[in-house]
Amino acid sequence: MAAEPAVVRVDRDRCIGSGMCALSAPEALALDLDGLAEPLAGYAAGGAELTEGLTEAVDFCPVEALALHSARGGHRIAPAD
Ligand code: SF4
């Protein structure tokens, strides 16, 4: 079963620009000119495919700056409350 597409939200006050998320999920995240993570597919673009790499990026961010939300309903997918 295909997972619903996800929109990544980055807490830029937390992000330290380690770049780990962009390595794990290069289709969904990149570092911007400030060296901080930036989502590549927002709601207008329909979100990004919810890949294993994207889930890992959220799980392994060292400062817990990432969250996944449904591209359709907006509810949070990860991390769990
Ligand atoms: S893994 Fe976390 S701290 Fe590192 S660039 Fe991505 S969001 Fe920022």
Side-chain angles (χ1 to χ4, degrees):
M1 186 182 83
E4 60 187 327
V7 168
V8 189
R9 292 187 190 170
V10 180
D11 184 339
R12 291 171 63 89
D13 291 332
R14 285 189 177 214
C15 175
I16 55 172
S18 70
M20 288 169 56
C21 58
L23 289 175
S24 296
E27 70 290 341
L29 287 152
L31 296 188
D32 67 10
L33 293 176
D34 294 325
L36 301 178
E38 176 181 57
L40 296 177
Y43 289 103
E49 185 183 351
L50 185 49
T51 61
E52 197 171 321
L54 183 51
T55 302
E56 286 180 4
V58 173
D59 287 346
F60 296 134
C61 171
V63 292
E64 300 180 0
L66 298 174
L68 293 177
H69 292 255
S70 165
R72 297 191 183 127
H75 59 273
R76 189 156 82 177
I77 299 170
D81 282 321

